[in-house]
Amino acid sequence: MAQKLIFTNLVIEAVDSLVADLGSPRVFVLVDMNTAHFVLPILKSQCKSFADATVITTLAGDSNKNVDSLQKIWKELSQGEATRNSVIINLGGGMVTDLGGFAAATFKRGIRFVNIPTTLLGAVDAAVGGKTGINFNGLKNEIGAFSEAEAVIISTLFFNTLPQQQLLSGYAEMLKHGLLDSDKTLADLLRYDIVTESAGSSDRLLRLIEESVNIKKNTVESDPTEKGLRRTLNLGHTIGHAFESFAMAHQSPVPHGYAVAWGLVVELILSRLKMDFPAETMQQFAAYVKENYGKFPLQCKDYPELIALMRHDKKNAVASEINFTLLSAVGSPHIDCTATEKEIIAALDLYQDM
């Protein structure tokens, strides 16, 4: 069953209606320390489903998306006598929806869950599409399962608590969807000022999010377990995840969306080198990323470690190859593109020059 997507800023009404539609089951709410402080009190005071729920709190930050946190959730579900009829509401960013979704997918071989993303990145990426998981052995999302939420409630209501860095982090995934879709979609996104125009419950931003999520939704529905077309959504992520894992290993973590933005630039350079992607579009996009995201603090001596991290990427069918999604033009993605170490190094050199 395809997950239900609800785009609304009337979150209280949407939650209570959804829980009633699910048969008014026992509700557990997963939050991290941030959403426990900033968001949960609002919903508990106004929303019947939250007032009666059992709350499970985990530590914030992607470094806590791990086995220890997962075991804590399993334990609290067990102690709370959760059944396969129960529902977990994952209230938070991508870390919470990834972790909570995987806990739900594995507890009693699967119980129902609902995602309410409270970050822009969570709304357009982690909360939608059925990917769940945890980090393991220093690698991002190394352990996980495909398991779709019963529903995802997407709102801009909570975004006014987000710092600029988190807004930009989420916007990088929207830019990726623009590159995959069309010149018009990309141009609309490059014109919108996410920092100054997103204050409060922005209806314009909600519509942009809906368009972006539907690009992902249509792709996922055609390939739910990532055997073919869904792999186009990995654009920017082979190198982006390597940047992210490298930064984490060197105790200087970077936001996921920033790593993706930098990864998109490098992979557009690869697309230019291997598929003749338009130079003008590549340069325009690179300039936008540099202005809004800065650049990854990269040195030539880091290349071997980054390439080793790329080899660990789940997208590689053969360990000796490094697999990419590349573009011949905006809206024209190609999966299963491989690049040699020499080509990757050339792209990284050009990235540094740009």
Side-chain angles (χ1 to χ4, degrees):
M1 181 183 69
Q3 61 187 190
K4 185 176 184 180
L5 299 178
I6 303 168
F7 298 90
T8 180
N9 283 324
L10 301 175
V11 177
I12 307 301
E13 294 88 337
V15 172
D16 282 339
S17 175
L18 179 60
V19 171
D21 289 345
L22 293 174
S24 301
R26 175 79 182 278
V27 174
F28 292 78
V29 176
L30 177 67
V31 292
D32 65 14
M33 299 296 287
N34 292 330
T35 44
H37 178 71
F38 290 108
V39 181
L40 183 62
I42 300 169
L43 293 178
K44 281 188 75 72
S45 66
Q46 300 180 39
C47 181
K48 183 180 184 302
S49 302
F50 275 78
D52 299 335
T54 299
V55 177
I56 302 172
T57 305
T58 189
L59 295 173
D62 202 68
S63 61
N64 292 299
K65 195 172 75 175
N66 55 31
V67 172
D68 291 341
S69 299
L70 182 65
Q71 288 180 327
K72 179 179 184 292
I73 296 167
W74 284 336
K75 185 175 181 180
E76 295 202 31
L77 288 171
S78 184
Q79 290 174 341
E81 299 181 350
T83 70
R84 295 186 74 179
N85 190 50
S86 300
V87 171
I88 301 176
I89 297 178
N90 299 314
L91 178 69
M95 177 271 193
V96 170
T97 58
D98 276 357
L99 177 63
F102 189 47
T106 49
F107 186 77
K108 294 188 182 294
R109 295 198 178 101
I111 66 176
R112 299 176 297 175
F113 66 99
V114 172
N115 289 334
I116 305 180
T118 59
T119 66
L120 180 57
L121 178 60
V124 299
D125 185 28
V128 177
K131 282 186 177 180
T132 71
I134 59 171
N135 304 331
F136 182 72
N137 198 30
L139 298 170
K140 188 173 175 66
N141 299 327
E142 182 77 348
I143 308 294
F146 289 100
S147 183
E148 284 200 330
E150 292 290 317
V152 183
I153 299 174
I154 295 175
S155 168
T156 62
L157 195 62
F158 310 115
F159 295 172
N160 58 1
T161 67
L162 297 178
Q164 176 178 324
Q165 185 183 71
Q166 286 200 34
L167 286 170
L168 285 166
S169 189
Y171 207 61
E173 288 286 347
M174 295 175 67
L175 292 169
K176 178 196 76 177
H177 293 156
L179 284 166
L180 291 170
D181 189 56
S182 69
D183 287 307
K184 180 185 181 304
T185 302
L186 180 62
D188 287 345
L189 291 168
L190 293 176
R191 278 195 299 266
Y192 183 79
D193 189 334
I194 181 63
V195 174
T196 62
E197 296 185 54
S198 61
S201 53
S202 166
D203 289 335
R204 171 63 177 146
L205 179 57
L206 188 61
R207 297 285 76 79
L208 285 173
I209 292 169
E210 184 171 0
E211 291 170 10
S212 188
V213 169
N214 280 327
I215 292 167
K216 178 174 183 178
K217 173 179 175 285
N218 293 336
T219 303
V220 169
E221 285 182 349
S222 67
D223 180 23
T225 56
E226 205 171 30
K227 303 297 185 187
L229 183 63
R230 182 171 181 164
R231 280 182 279 168
T232 61
L233 296 171
N234 291 322
L235 179 68
H237 282 63
T238 298
I239 290 174
H241 277 167
F243 284 158
E244 196 171 3
S245 295
F246 179 92
M248 193 181 302
H250 289 265
Q251 285 75 53
S252 56
V254 297
H256 172 74
Y258 279 60
V260 168
W262 300 323
L264 286 169
V265 174
V266 180
E267 293 185 20
L268 287 185
I269 294 170
L270 267 179
S271 296
R272 174 66 185 166
L273 294 174
K274 293 179 68 68
M275 310 198 79
D276 204 28
F277 182 84
E280 184 179 353
T281 306
M282 177 192 71
Q283 290 162 353
Q284 179 190 21
F285 191 88
Y288 180 93
V289 169
K290 182 180 179 182
E291 180 181 352
N292 290 279
Y293 298 87
K295 64 167 286 191
F296 185 74
L298 179 64
Q299 299 181 57
C300 295
K301 67 181 178 62
D302 301 326
Y303 291 179
E305 186 175 349
L306 285 167
I307 289 171
L309 287 165
M310 292 175 211
R311 292 194 187 283
H312 277 285
D313 197 283
K314 299 178 292 299
K315 296 180 286 297
N316 296 325
V318 180
S320 61
E321 295 182 341
I322 300 176
N323 196 295
F324 297 90
T325 293
L326 298 178
L327 299 173
S328 56
V330 173
S332 298
H334 302 265
I335 62 172
D336 296 329
C337 302
T338 59
T340 64
E341 285 193 23
K342 184 177 180 179
E343 289 169 332
I344 294 168
I345 288 170
L348 291 170
D349 281 340
L350 286 167
Y351 170 75
Q352 294 212 71
D353 291 341
M354 293 176 71

